[in-house]
Structures are given as C-alpha cells and as structure tokens.
Amino acid sequence: MVAPCSVTSRLGSVFPFLLVLVDLQYEGAECGVNADVEKHLELGKKLLAAGQLADALSQFHAAVDGDPENYIAYYRRATVFLAMGKSKAALPDLTKVIELKMDFTAARLQRGHLLLKQGKLDEAEDDFKKVLKSNPSENEEKEAQSQLIKSDEMQHLRSQALDAFESSDYIAAITFLDKVLEVCVWDAELRELRAECFIKEGEPRKAISDLKAASKLKNDNTEAFYKISTLYYELGDHELSLSEVRECLKLDQEHKRCFAHYKQVKKLNKLIKSAEELIKEGRYTDATSKYESVMKTEPSVSEYTIRSKERICHCFSKDEKPVEAIRVCSEVLQMEPDNVNALKDRAEAYLIEEMYDEAIQDYETAQEHNENDQQIREGLEKAQRLLKQSQKRDYYKILGVKRNAKKQEIIKAYRKLALQWHPDNFQNEEEKKKAEKKFIDIAAAKEVLSDPEMRKKFDDGEDPLDAESQQGGGGNPFHRSWNSWQGFNPFSSGGPFRFKFHFN
C-alpha cells in the first residue's frame, strides 16, 4: 500500500524572508506520484527545514525528474531557489506550477512578487488580479490587494521618471527612479536609465554602481560593461577600466567599440605600469619620459594629465632637480590645491633650494589634509630646524655650494675660498680680522660638509660644531679666535685639514 503523499511545509520558521508561506496537503491519488518521488519530496522538505539548501535542491530536482507533472515538486524547488537568492531560476518553476494548477494562488502570488521586483508591472498586476478572482484566503486577498496598489503606484512613478528624463530634468528623474527601484530592485532597464541620469549630473561613480547591477540582471549585457569601462577610464582608473572592457569582450569578441577601447586602455596601462617600475628602480629620468608619453597617448582626459604631472613632479623632486620639481608641482597644485603628494614633493624641492618658509607652508597644508602621515610630520620638523639653522651659520652658503653638492665640489670651493681669504693676504688690521673670521668659517664648513656623518647631522638641522646642540658640551674649536690657534697653518700637514696646497 502506498502511503498518502501528505506534505506540510512551514517555511516561515526557517526562511522568514520568503514572501509566501503555505501549508500544502494533498493525497497521493491527486498528486499521482510514485513512492520514489514521495520519498524525494519528504526528504527535500526535511533538508529545507534544516537549512541544507543545496541538498534539498538535489532532492527536488530528482522529484521533478521522476514526475514532470507534479506541481508540488516544482513549487518546492522554486522555494529553494528563492531561499538561495536565485529568483531567475525560481520564476520558470512558478510558471510551470501555474500551468499545471491554475488555481494555485500561492504560486501565482509569489510569481507576482518576482515580476514586480523585475519591473514587469503589467504582468505582475495580472497575477494579483487573478489571485483575487480565484477564491484566495483572507491573507492572500490582503496581500494581492496591497501589491496591486503598490504596482499602480510604481506605474505612475515610472511614467513621471520617463517624462522628466525626456525633459532633461535629470534630478527629478533620479528622485522618481529612486522610489521605483526601492520596489522594482531587479529592473535592469530602470537602473541603466538612472545611470544615464547620474552621468548627465556628473556623478559617474553612482552610475557605475547601477550599471554593475544591470550587467548582472541582464544576460550578455555588453553595453553595460562598455559604459562601466569608459566611466572608469574617465575617472583615471585604467586598471578597472581594462578589467571591465575584458568582460565585454568575453561576451562578444567582435564588439567594435569594446575592442577599440580595449586597445587604448591596454596601451595606456602598459605605459603607466612601466613608469611606476622605473620609479621603483630610481630611474627618474626614464620614468618622466614615460609619463610624458602617457599625456600624449591620452590628451583628452584631464585625469591622466594631472596624475602624470603629479608623478613627474615626484620624479624631479627625488632626482634632486628642484627648479623643475617646483614648476611641475605648482602646475599640479593649480589644478588640485589639496594634492598632498604634490605638496610633499614641492616641499622637498623647496628644502633643496633653501626656501624654508615655502617648504614649511607646503608641509603644513599637506598636514591639514593628512595629519597622520609620518613623512609629512618629519618633513615639517626638518624644515623648521633648517629654517632655524639658516638664521645662524649655513655652511653651504659659506662655501657657496648647493645642498646637493658632491664632495669634490665642496673641496674645490673650499680651496678657492681658503686661498682668497687667507689672513696673510691682508695687511690692514681690520681687514685681517675680517679675513680671519671668514677663513675660520670656511674651514669649519669644509670640515662639516666633507665628513658624511657631520654633514648628515647638519642636513637634519643640527650644527655638529655648535656647542649648544651637542650633548655634554665640549665647545667648538672653530669658534676660537685666530690667535688661539697658536701658529696653526691650515695649509700645513699639522692642522686638522690633512692636505696641502701647491702653488707658486
């Protein structure tokens, strides 16, 4: 004897988010199922109640295969699809249920909900009206009436949105579409329409969000992928642009616009990656050349010009070309006054040029926009130290060399000045005293700047020959008077300067 195929489903306790909760009871004779199908249905119901969706789905697949005319099997499978968030898969099953059993109001009500979410308002209204004509339960009747009112409201709002779009009133269109898409969340066309409004209103990132949703809601949506790629490109995000245009070409390798855009983005992406690798290697001149090529490759999108100049500014600063760095960084800051990277790089260039007030101002502005950046904090402290130091004795200025001067330049400058200001060259007592002081400063500058450790201290804002800045005191021998050297001759081999001048 075949057991009665009585099935009771109480999904509400397990899946409260499902829109329709029904108890299904039927007899084996009505269902026309065999024992195997009944077994699959019962096991599937238990697995569904336990939340084991994949296993439950397998059982309902087997039940449908065993009895293709069993509307309960289709309905159960649709229920699992919905629980898994696969509404597209659930819709054909609900339609099959209605074909097999026209008065199954639960399935029709559920299908109406899905059609409403998809924005198929006419079809949804037809389902809700038929529910009301098919002797529904009290709850089903209330639900159908409520959804009919909602559907009618969506029809009206959508019509207003389309009228506003046609009138180029994009803000109004967005307002209406926002309300419609709260209900019709799976309507790809309306999302694409709102994306177009966002583009017109200069909000590309919001447009991208809608287009990404549309690309998933509509099969083979090459147009959405193309638009997403071009929007990312215009925003300067070449890597995401390349990724999205590749998705377009996966769907259609012959897509003309996607292929043309792909070649452009790929070329630009290659140049930028190459330039960044060169910067990592410290090849700043070559990197600058690459970024100049980027600007030539894409002159119409301002974002690439700004980003390229920002990186060229960085290269000049790191390559210790302060004049060029200040010029290019300033161009960037005219377009983007709050560009922290350009501010930092220009500040470093100002330090090389000994323009300490300007460097401090740039670091302070950068810090306002990124107060946790350690590099900015350290740069500002250094600039402040150097400003204070410049108000005292500046060894670079004494020798007349740049802060990035090589050791050979320092020695050469020292020799020239030492010859010029040697006290023996002066007969007048006042001039001799002035020359003595000048000569001591020159000797001190050579001592500090030709010693890597002492020079680093000085570059960091500390005078290694200043007794006040040295722990433990000890004084500075170069601060003594000329007579206190007791016959010291800086040109002999006996003094602290271990080389000789040879001249006639």
Side-chain angles (χ1 to χ4, degrees):
M1 179 177 178
V2 178
C5 57
S6 175
V7 180
T8 302
S9 173
R10 303 187 184 279
L11 296 177
S13 61
V14 181
F15 303 109
F17 50 84
L18 292 179
L19 299 173
V20 179
L21 307 176
V22 295
D23 290 337
L24 300 175
Q25 293 185 344
Y26 55 95
E27 297 301 322
E30 180 185 345
C31 298
V33 296
N34 58 37
D36 286 340
V37 171
E38 169 66 11
K39 195 183 215 179
H40 288 308
L41 288 171
E42 286 295 328
L43 183 54
K45 184 181 74 171
K46 290 177 181 177
L47 291 166
L48 179 58
Q52 298 177 18
L53 302 181
D55 293 334
L57 187 61
S58 296
Q59 293 300 320
F60 294 135
H61 280 323
V64 168
D65 292 339
D67 184 2
E69 300 301 311
N70 189 320
Y71 72 91
I72 294 299
Y74 286 105
Y75 186 74
R76 292 290 187 195
R77 188 167 71 176
T79 300
V80 178
F81 279 137
L82 288 172
M84 297 174 82
K86 298 180 178 180
S87 60
K88 285 184 180 180
L91 197 56
D93 275 359
L94 291 171
T95 298
K96 185 67 176 177
V97 172
I98 294 167
E99 288 175 4
L100 294 170
K101 190 170 177 58
M102 296 288 291
D103 61 346
F104 196 162
T105 55
R108 196 177 287 279
L109 192 59
Q110 185 69 278
R111 188 175 71 171
H113 278 290
L114 295 181
L115 291 170
L116 186 61
K117 286 188 173 185
Q118 290 182 343
K120 297 177 179 178
L121 302 179
D122 292 334
E123 295 176 46
E125 285 182 4
D126 183 62
D127 270 344
F128 296 137
K129 288 175 181 177
K130 285 180 179 176
V131 168
L132 293 174
K133 293 178 181 178
S134 60
N135 194 28
S137 67
E138 183 179 347
N139 286 337
E140 288 173 339
E141 183 177 2
K142 285 182 180 179
E143 182 66 20
Q145 287 176 340
S146 170
Q147 294 305 307
L148 268 174
I149 294 171
K150 185 180 289 185
S151 179
D152 184 62
E153 182 186 356
M154 293 306 105
Q155 291 273 28
H156 183 61
L157 287 168
R158 183 165 66 178
S159 178
Q160 288 179 300
L162 292 172
D163 288 343
F165 183 81
E166 290 298 322
S167 302
S168 300
D169 189 353
Y170 303 115
I171 294 176
I174 290 168
T175 302
F176 292 129
L177 288 169
D178 286 346
K179 294 176 181 177
V180 178
L181 286 167
E182 286 177 6
V183 176
C184 306
V185 291
W186 300 332
D187 192 324
E189 283 75 17
L190 290 186
R191 287 196 176 275
E192 288 174 343
L193 182 64
R194 188 169 67 174
E196 193 63 30
C197 292
F198 282 135
I199 292 170
K200 297 288 187 183
E201 286 299 309
E203 298 189 77
R205 294 199 180 276
K206 289 184 179 180
I208 288 171
S209 178
D210 268 342
L211 288 168
K212 282 191 172 183
S215 71
K216 295 175 183 176
L217 292 167
K218 188 191 293 184
N219 292 331
D220 300 332
N221 198 343
T222 54
E223 189 63 24
F225 284 117
Y226 173 73
K227 284 185 177 179
I228 293 168
S229 179
T230 55
L231 287 171
Y232 273 132
Y233 185 79
E234 289 166 10
L235 288 168
D237 201 329
H238 53 96
E239 291 181 335
L240 283 176
S241 178
L242 188 61
S243 174
E244 295 295 332
V245 78
R246 280 174 174 159
E247 292 299 318
C248 175
L249 291 173
K250 283 180 186 177
L251 296 172
D252 181 4
Q253 294 182 359
E254 305 300 321
H255 195 291
K256 289 184 179 179
R257 287 186 299 164
C258 281
F259 186 67
H261 185 59
Y262 169 74
K263 289 195 295 183
Q264 174 70 4
V265 184
K266 187 178 180 183
K267 181 180 180 181
L268 197 71
N269 190 60
K270 185 177 179 181
L271 281 171
I272 292 171
K273 280 192 171 182
S274 175
E276 288 303 308
E277 285 299 319
L278 291 168
I279 289 175
K280 287 181 183 177
E281 295 169 9
R283 296 167 60 186
Y284 300 115
T285 302
D286 293 336
T288 297
S289 178
K290 286 288 183 184
Y291 271 115
E292 287 170 349
S293 296
V294 169
M295 289 189 284
K296 290 176 184 176
T297 301
E298 186 45 85
S300 60
V301 179
S302 61
E303 189 66 24
Y304 293 104
T305 299
I306 295 171
R307 296 286 79 80
S308 295
K309 287 193 173 186
E310 179 187 320
R311 298 305 282 160
I312 291 171
C313 147
H314 177 74
C315 290
F316 280 142
S317 181
K318 290 298 179 186
D319 207 22
E320 296 190 345
K321 295 178 179 177
V323 175
E324 295 91 335
I326 291 168
R327 174 179 56 81
V328 179
C329 293
S330 297
E331 289 175 8
V332 175
L333 291 165
Q334 283 180 350
M335 295 179 280
E336 291 184 347
D338 300 334
N339 188 311
V340 172
N341 292 328
L343 285 165
K344 285 159 62 176
D345 287 324
R346 190 171 71 172
E348 288 187 23
Y350 278 142
L351 288 181
I352 296 173
E353 285 292 281
E354 302 174 15
M355 300 169 69
Y356 305 123
D357 287 319
E358 290 84 350
I360 288 170
Q361 184 176 346
D362 273 357
Y363 277 128
E364 286 177 342
T365 304
Q367 195 170 54
E368 289 174 8
H369 300 288
N370 193 347
E371 59 183 17
N372 296 321
D373 189 316
Q374 185 176 352
Q375 186 182 3
I376 294 173
R377 186 166 56 252
E378 290 175 354
L380 178 58
E381 290 172 357
K382 179 179 178 180
Q384 289 168 336
R385 286 197 306 270
L386 289 172
L387 176 62
K388 186 177 179 181
Q389 183 188 81
S390 70
Q391 295 165 349
K392 297 180 180 178
R393 182 165 57 173
D394 188 328
Y395 296 125
Y396 289 103
K397 286 184 178 179
I398 289 170
L399 293 184
V401 296
K402 292 286 186 181
R403 296 191 77 86
N404 59 349
K406 306 296 182 186
K407 186 173 181 179
Q408 295 90 329
E409 296 175 70
I410 291 167
I411 299 300
K412 183 179 179 181
Y414 164 72
R415 287 175 174 171
K416 180 180 177 181
L417 291 169
L419 283 172
Q420 179 183 345
W421 291 98
H422 193 289
D424 290 347
N425 294 334
F426 300 89
Q427 302 302 318
N428 181 281
E429 201 60 35
E430 287 298 320
E431 289 181 352
K432 185 181 282 290
K433 286 182 180 180
K434 181 181 176 182
E436 287 175 359
K437 184 178 183 305
K438 187 79 173 177
F439 188 79
I440 290 172
D441 284 344
I442 293 166
K446 179 265 174 188
E447 181 74 358
V448 171
L449 299 184
S450 62
D451 183 288
E453 289 185 13
M454 294 176 76
R455 183 176 180 177
K456 185 178 185 307
K457 283 185 178 182
F458 185 75
D459 287 343
D460 289 338
E462 175 187 343
D463 188 344
L465 301 182
D466 186 349
E468 293 180 3
S469 66
Q470 303 300 307
Q471 292 183 357
N476 178 3
F478 290 107
H479 287 173
R480 304 175 197 168
S481 68
W482 174 255
N483 292 332
S484 68
W485 285 105
Q486 296 180 340
F488 157 68
N489 179 3
F491 300 115
S492 75
S493 60
F497 307 100
R498 303 297 180 182
F499 59 87
K500 298 180 180 179
F501 282 97
H502 299 281
F503 54 90
N504 293 327

